[in-house]
Amino acid sequence: MFKRLLIANRGEIAVRIIRACQELGIETVAVYSDVDEHALHVQLADYAYHIGPADAAQSYLNMEAILAAATATKAEAIHPGYGFLSENADFADLVTNSGFIWVGPRSETIRKVGNKDAARAAMKAAGLPMTKGTNPIKNNEEAYQFAEELGYPVILKPVSGGGGKSMFVINTRQDLETALHKVDVTKAAFYFENYISQSRHIEVQIMADNFGNILHLGERECSLQRRNQKILEEAPSSALTSEMRHKVGALAIRAAKSVHYTNVGTVEFLMDVKSGKFYFMEINPRIQVEHAITETITGIDLVRRQIRIAAGEPLNKRQEDIQYLGHAIECRINAEDPENHFLPAPGQIEFYHEPGGPRVRIDSGVCAGLAVEPYYDSMIAKVIAHGRTRGDAIKIMIRALNEFRITGIKTTIPFHQRVLSNPHFCTGDIDTQFVYKHMSSCEPVKPKKLNPRAADTSLVNSAW
């Protein structure tokens, strides 16, 4: 095991990695921009190194600055977290070629799965089910032609990138015309897939060592989204039977084996609500924001596993060793204004009190007195509730959110409170269009009017 690790990230995930390293007896190096000098991850790390101005391109995305920090602080390994450079194969190559240990999948794997066109080809060859799609679009004329041939509705996706950005659901030729005014398909590669209007977003957590052993840790339900970005996740999914769970887990392992995957990652699927069929979407070659709910129900620390795998340790587990306990829900607390189209709401945090009590976990990267900067992602914390059943987890989450106090900035807490009191959500009647169908207004709910007993506690399969 190495002795010192540099974290090429900030905020909540940097704090999470620091905590895992402390438990493993590994010293940590935090990197920071001008505006992050007093950030929580900087305060908690053993060492800190300044890498540039607030602009992420000159700091957290500056490969040379990060490698210089690793050299200056005598770090042996680099953990990229999520976002920023975590899915940059060139950076992974630079790290390993510079003599550092890369805590993540091999660069060739990142390169293959990061290009959705190449990833779809690899998955098709491996026999994974997938929706019909097109080749990358060369120009607007070809876009109209491909969309007509595929048949509306379609979804326009970038070949590279993730996080739900630059994706457009196209129902008509007019919709396509509007989308083509927003993106230039001649400068950035895009392609079409058939759009399943009633679907659930199901992802499977995998972990793989350097000796060919690959396991899955069950699925997560990620259907609650706005602008194609996740806002609330659950594990397990209330929609899956034991047979479906076994099937999608086997598909995820097949996908991982086909690209010789190592370390931890996520294989994402769309499930057609009407047919119950799964369709491959993508592989995310990094730790996910929502990893905590999988950790909660399995008892497996995924960040520690990442580090151990990178250090050359085998998994020393079999698939039958993976056990699941109860149900977990995660709410992403963002500095956003739900009443104004979820626009970012940066500012100074005046008062900050995290909820506590049994079966509540908080992963955060802030504290009172710090500022939420406009230069970076708006997520400031995650609340994870763990219950015996889904209904139990809902009640625990309601209690936790009622207790969470943040003043000075607007957050998504009131929005999550409304979701948790929605009868469709409580009965598990959700899909990727849930927010648009059931959450058209964002007026805060009053805690005393919540009726957590209305939550259906019968939706979790007994195997979990």
Side-chain angles (χ1 to χ4, degrees):
M1 182 65 70
F2 36 81
K3 296 180 180 180
R4 188 174 298 172
L5 177 146
L6 180 141
I7 304 159
N9 218 297
R10 66 180 299 281
E12 173 269 328
I13 189 59
V15 172
R16 173 70 184 86
I17 296 166
I18 289 169
R19 288 170 174 159
C21 287
Q22 288 174 340
E23 294 170 6
L24 290 169
I26 298 171
E27 294 180 334
T28 54
V29 179
V31 293
Y32 64 94
S33 67
D34 287 347
V35 294
D36 275 343
E37 182 179 359
H38 302 293
L40 187 59
H41 73 286
V42 175
Q43 297 181 46
L44 294 180
D46 296 291
Y47 304 92
Y49 198 93
H50 177 254
I51 54 170
D55 181 6
Q58 300 179 61
S59 53
Y60 297 106
L61 292 171
N62 188 331
M63 302 182 199
E64 291 76 16
I66 292 172
L67 289 174
T71 300
T73 58
K74 299 182 179 179
E76 298 168 68
I78 295 178
H79 194 309
Y82 54 70
F84 290 133
L85 295 168
S86 62
E87 297 178 73
N88 190 310
D90 292 338
F91 181 58
D93 276 333
L94 280 173
V95 169
T96 54
N97 291 340
S98 300
F100 301 104
I101 296 170
W102 171 255
V103 183
R106 301 183 185 98
S107 60
E108 55 266 32
T109 303
I110 297 174
R111 198 167 274 114
K112 179 177 287 187
V113 303
N115 182 298
K116 292 184 175 65
D117 192 40
R120 282 177 62 86
M123 295 304 112
K124 186 176 182 179
L128 266 78
M130 58 185 64
T131 57
K132 290 182 180 179
T134 70
N135 292 325
I137 302 163
K138 296 177 183 176
N139 50 53
N140 286 6
E141 290 74 21
E142 197 170 73
Y144 289 114
Q145 177 189 338
F146 282 175
E148 293 290 343
E149 291 175 355
L150 202 57
Y152 297 104
V154 295
I155 184 165
L156 182 66
K157 291 184 172 183
V159 170
S160 300
K165 297 176 181 178
S166 300
M167 291 167 52
F168 301 89
V169 175
I170 312 293
N171 291 296
T172 64
R173 184 182 176 89
Q174 186 176 358
D175 288 347
L176 179 53
E177 184 178 348
T178 301
L180 292 174
H181 278 107
K182 297 179 180 178
V183 298
D184 188 343
V185 296
T186 65
K187 293 183 178 179
F190 283 81
Y191 72 104
F192 287 120
E193 284 183 11
N194 271 135
Y195 180 70
I196 303 172
S197 57
Q198 194 173 3
S199 61
R200 296 178 78 134
H201 186 144
I202 305 295
E203 63 183 31
V204 180
Q205 178 70 57
I206 56 171
M207 60 181 187
D209 61 23
N210 300 312
F211 307 97
N213 302 305
I214 303 179
L215 304 176
H216 77 80
L217 303 183
E219 87 282 358
R220 296 185 286 255
E221 171 82 61
C222 302
S223 297
L224 264 76
Q225 304 174 5
R226 53 101 175 92
R227 297 196 296 271
N228 298 308
Q229 294 179 306
K230 304 164 191 172
I231 51 177
L232 180 152
E233 302 94 359
E234 303 181 60
S237 168
S238 61
L240 271 59
T241 63
S242 295
E243 183 180 352
M244 295 167 75
R245 186 164 292 120
H246 175 77
K247 180 178 180 179
V248 76
L251 287 173
I253 289 178
R254 187 194 303 177
K257 286 183 176 179
S258 72
V259 293
H260 308 290
Y261 200 92
T262 56
N263 214 272
V264 309
T266 304
V267 186
E268 305 203 2
F269 299 88
L270 271 184
M271 188 190 84
D272 189 324
V273 171
K274 295 179 180 178
S275 67
K277 292 181 179 179
F278 296 100
Y279 297 96
F280 170 82
M281 287 176 59
E282 61 181 343
I283 298 178
N284 281 312
R286 53 174 168 79
I287 194 75
Q288 292 277 90
V289 175
E290 58 272 22
H291 73 275
I293 51 176
T294 296
E295 292 181 327
T296 299
I297 65 169
T298 63
I300 294 173
D301 187 318
L302 287 167
V303 178
R304 285 173 61 171
R305 282 284 172 181
Q306 279 190 293
I307 295 168
R308 289 187 180 280
I309 291 169
E313 295 185 15
L315 290 178
N316 287 330
K317 279 186 179 293
R318 300 170 298 174
Q319 189 63 54
E320 53 266 34
D321 295 329
I322 308 301
Q323 301 293 320
Y324 308 98
L325 179 64
H327 193 97
I329 298 175
E330 173 183 285
C331 289
R332 301 189 187 194
I333 309 304
N334 294 340
E336 297 175 353
D337 185 357
E339 299 178 40
N340 190 19
H341 308 289
F342 292 96
L343 289 178
Q348 193 82 16
I349 298 174
E350 297 171 356
F351 180 80
Y352 184 85
H353 171 75
E354 295 179 348
R359 296 176 288 176
V360 172
R361 166 177 164 178
I362 308 296
D363 284 10
S364 69
V366 301
C367 60
L370 294 181
V372 176
E373 301 294 345
Y375 312 101
Y376 314 118
D377 185 82
S378 63
M379 194 183 72
I380 54 178
K382 304 181 305 193
V383 183
I384 301 95
H386 185 208
R388 294 171 291 106
T389 63
R390 183 173 188 268
D392 193 28
I394 290 172
K395 288 187 283 187
I396 294 168
M397 182 63 81
I398 290 172
R399 187 264 296 170
L401 293 180
N402 288 346
E403 192 179 322
F404 210 157
R405 296 287 187 271
I406 305 175
T407 64
I409 58 172
K410 290 182 179 292
T411 74
T412 52
I413 291 176
F415 174 79
H416 284 296
Q417 290 174 318
R418 292 186 64 251
V419 169
L420 293 161
S421 66
N422 184 284
H424 294 278
F425 175 81
C426 290
T427 57
D429 179 18
I430 59 177
D431 59 31
T432 54
Q433 296 301 304
F434 177 88
V435 171
Y436 303 103
K437 291 190 293 188
H438 302 294
M439 307 295 294
S440 57
S441 64
C442 293
E443 296 176 4
V445 294
K446 296 180 181 179
K448 66 180 181 180
K449 289 188 177 181
L450 295 177
N451 182 16
R453 295 182 184 276
D456 186 348
T457 62
S458 65
L459 294 171
V460 180
N461 189 283
S462 59
W464 294 73

